[in-house]
């Protein structure tokens, strides 16, 4: 049995669900550290003097009390784990300082990073890549530019027999994609499709098309909502080339997908019956996309993107 240590931020519960499945396997033992500190552990200034001192550190010493505190907390969690692991995998290793990464490096002979965000969004990823035996990335451009090994995101849940209650469903952060989302929603209304597009924002959302969430929706809850829709909506962030989780959730749960990412046509599970690549500036979605049934994907192709296969690649030493 392989001993694996996984460290990653799990703010929405994707990895909690993945671990629930992976820990049922009899070939691995997995320890996990969430890189998102619970609220009661997060840094709080003791007084205004400490706040001023941190301004000095940031401006004159390139240091930050919050980062120092955060890494001290993570190091305490690391030190209570096993002394040695067959493989250590870190998602978002850029959150950790060099000292924390070196502590982890000494605990294994196979040190692996997985980048499920584009490196340009978090430039420190490029600086620390040489610390790892292998760096995997979901972004094809990053793999081509920086020599990372390609590895897509994954799905966990399979199709269910939930009754369909809504034609189209989307869940995204509230950001620059708002305009594109609204245009897609308007196109759905022209087709008289019922839809719901939820967006997380701590500020008011001025849009008749979008439903605001003031707290992050748990991943299990989101999957339960996806199970009741016919079509899943995805709008890719600008500057990101890899596929997000949405296409794989659609693949696993056998839902159709509307996306603005034309690169999805390069993947072996793409078929035009299931995936409609929309022009984000002038989206026109044919009614036939909703009226025709989902086309089953070859099971061998589909399984390649299951969380088991994703995990097997991460921990493989070949």
């Amino acid at each position: 049995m392989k001993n694996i240590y996984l460290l990653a931020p799990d703010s929405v519960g994707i990895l909690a669900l993945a671990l629930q499945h992976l820990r049922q396997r009899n070939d691995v033992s997995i320890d996990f550290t969430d890189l998102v500190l619970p609220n009661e552990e997060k840094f709080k200034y003791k007084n205004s003097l400490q706040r001023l001192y941190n301004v000095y550190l940031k401006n004159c010493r390139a240091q930050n009390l919050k980062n120092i505190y955060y890494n001290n907390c993570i190091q305490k969690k690391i030190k209570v784990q096993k002394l040695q692991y067959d493989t250590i995998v870190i998602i978002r290793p850029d959150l950790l300082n060099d000292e924390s990464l070196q502590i982890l490096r000494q605990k294994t002979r196979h040190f692996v990073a997985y980048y499920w965000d584009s490196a340009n969004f978090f430039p420190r990823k490029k600086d620390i890549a040489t610390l790892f035996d292998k760096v995997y990335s979901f972004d094809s451009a990053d793999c081509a530019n920086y020599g990372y090994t390609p590895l897509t995101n994954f799905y966990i849940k399979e199709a269910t027999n939930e009754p369909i209650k809504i034609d189209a469903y989307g869940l995204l952060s509230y950001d620059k994609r708002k305009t594109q989302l609204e245009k897609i929603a308007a196109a759905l209304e022209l087709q008289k499709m019922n839809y719901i597009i939820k967006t997380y924002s701590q500020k008011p959302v001025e849009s008749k098309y979008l439903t605001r969430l003031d707290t992050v929706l748990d991943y299990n809850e989101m999957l339960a909502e996806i199970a009741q829709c016919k079509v899943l909506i995805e709008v890719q962030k600008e500057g990101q080339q890899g596929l997000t989780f949405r296409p794989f959730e659609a693949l696993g749960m056998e839902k159709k997908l509307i996306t603005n990412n034309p690169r999805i046509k390069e993947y072996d599970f793409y078929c035009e019956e299931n995936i409609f690549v929309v022009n984000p500036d002038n989206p026109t979605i044919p009614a036939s996309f909703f009226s025709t049934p989902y086309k089953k994907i070859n099971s061998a192709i589909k399984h390649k993107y299951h969380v088991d296969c994703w995990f097997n690649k991460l921990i493989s030493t070949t």
Side-chain angles (χ1 to χ4, degrees):
M1 179 180 288
K2 288 184 176 181
N3 288 309
I4 311 298
Y5 186 20
L6 174 63
L7 303 94
D10 195 26
S11 55
V12 299
I14 294 176
L15 291 170
L17 186 61
L19 286 168
Q20 184 180 324
H21 170 82
L22 293 169
R23 282 174 169 157
Q24 296 176 20
R25 294 171 41 158
N26 57 16
D27 62 332
V28 290
S29 172
I30 308 171
D31 292 330
F32 175 69
T33 291
D34 192 343
L35 295 181
V36 177
L37 295 179
N39 287 332
E40 62 272 16
E41 290 184 26
K42 288 181 178 176
F43 178 85
K44 297 179 181 65
Y45 286 109
K46 295 177 182 178
N47 48 49
S48 57
L49 187 62
Q50 189 185 42
R51 189 184 296 270
L52 285 171
Y53 178 58
N54 199 31
V55 172
Y56 161 75
L57 285 178
K58 287 191 285 186
N59 291 333
C60 301
R61 298 282 188 89
Q63 296 178 339
N64 189 323
L65 285 178
K66 292 181 181 180
N67 292 342
I68 294 168
Y69 172 86
Y70 173 80
N71 276 277
N72 285 340
C73 289
I74 296 300
Q75 286 178 26
K76 288 177 183 177
K77 297 174 186 290
I78 292 170
K79 288 174 181 177
V80 299
Q81 300 295 341
K82 295 182 180 69
L83 293 176
Q84 282 290 310
Y85 288 90
D86 294 299
T87 299
I88 292 179
V89 177
I90 313 180
I91 299 172
R92 286 296 312 275
D94 55 291
L95 294 172
L96 304 183
N97 64 18
D98 289 357
E99 181 184 358
S100 298
L101 293 173
Q102 289 296 346
I103 291 171
L104 289 164
R105 166 82 266 186
Q106 293 167 13
K107 280 178 170 282
T108 186
R109 288 181 293 178
H110 190 222
F111 199 34
V112 176
Y114 181 62
Y115 295 171
W116 64 11
D117 297 287
S118 297
N120 288 335
F121 292 170
F122 305 100
R124 177 167 159 74
K125 288 182 174 182
K126 303 173 198 174
D127 300 331
I128 60 177
T130 55
L131 295 175
F132 295 90
D133 298 309
K134 202 151 197 177
V135 175
Y136 291 93
S137 173
F138 89 120
D139 193 299
S140 57
D142 285 355
C143 293
N145 292 333
Y146 309 120
Y148 307 151
T149 301
L151 181 59
T152 68
N153 288 318
F154 54 86
Y155 71 88
I156 307 167
K157 289 285 188 179
E158 304 279 356
T160 66
N161 293 318
E162 286 286 318
I164 301 301
K165 296 181 179 179
I166 191 164
D167 291 315
Y169 173 86
L171 176 65
L172 302 93
S173 299
Y174 188 66
D175 51 33
K176 294 178 180 178
R177 295 172 287 178
K178 171 181 179 284
T179 301
Q180 292 186 27
L181 284 170
E182 289 182 322
K183 288 180 179 180
I184 290 172
L188 292 171
E189 288 193 356
L190 282 176
Q191 296 287 358
K192 302 189 184 307
M193 299 296 169
N194 64 324
Y195 68 90
I196 183 166
I197 300 175
K198 295 184 176 182
T199 182
Y200 167 69
S201 175
Q202 294 182 329
K203 298 179 180 179
V205 171
E206 295 182 5
S207 175
K208 70 174 185 176
Y209 299 108
L210 308 180
T211 301
R212 174 180 171 266
L213 298 175
D214 56 7
T215 57
V216 176
L217 189 66
D218 179 78
Y219 194 64
N220 254 326
E221 293 180 54
M222 186 202 70
L223 292 178
E225 294 183 350
I226 289 175
Q228 298 177 359
C229 81
K230 184 181 294 183
V231 177
L232 195 52
I233 300 167
E234 176 214 42
V235 174
Q236 190 91 317
K237 288 181 179 178
E238 186 178 349
Q240 182 172 289
Q241 294 194 20
L243 301 187
T244 69
F245 274 93
R246 294 296 99 90
F248 301 104
E249 292 151 2
L251 177 66
M253 300 181 75
E254 297 183 355
K255 303 294 179 181
K256 292 195 174 190
L257 178 74
I258 294 171
T259 178
N260 68 334
N261 186 356
R263 291 182 180 84
I264 200 168
K265 294 181 179 182
E266 300 168 6
Y267 290 77
D268 54 2
F269 60 83
Y270 171 80
C271 69
E272 61 183 11
E273 292 91 341
N274 294 344
I275 300 172
F276 184 78
V277 178
V278 70
N279 177 345
D281 297 318
N282 184 25
T284 302
I285 305 166
S288 59
F289 185 69
F290 290 89
S291 61
T292 54
Y294 179 89
K295 182 179 178 180
K296 292 268 189 180
I297 301 301
N298 177 280
S299 59
I301 291 175
K302 178 181 174 181
H303 184 68
K304 284 167 50 179
Y305 302 97
H306 189 268
V307 65
D308 274 320
C309 294
W310 173 84
F311 191 70
N312 288 343
K313 288 180 181 177
L314 283 180
I315 65 175
S316 172
T317 54
T318 58

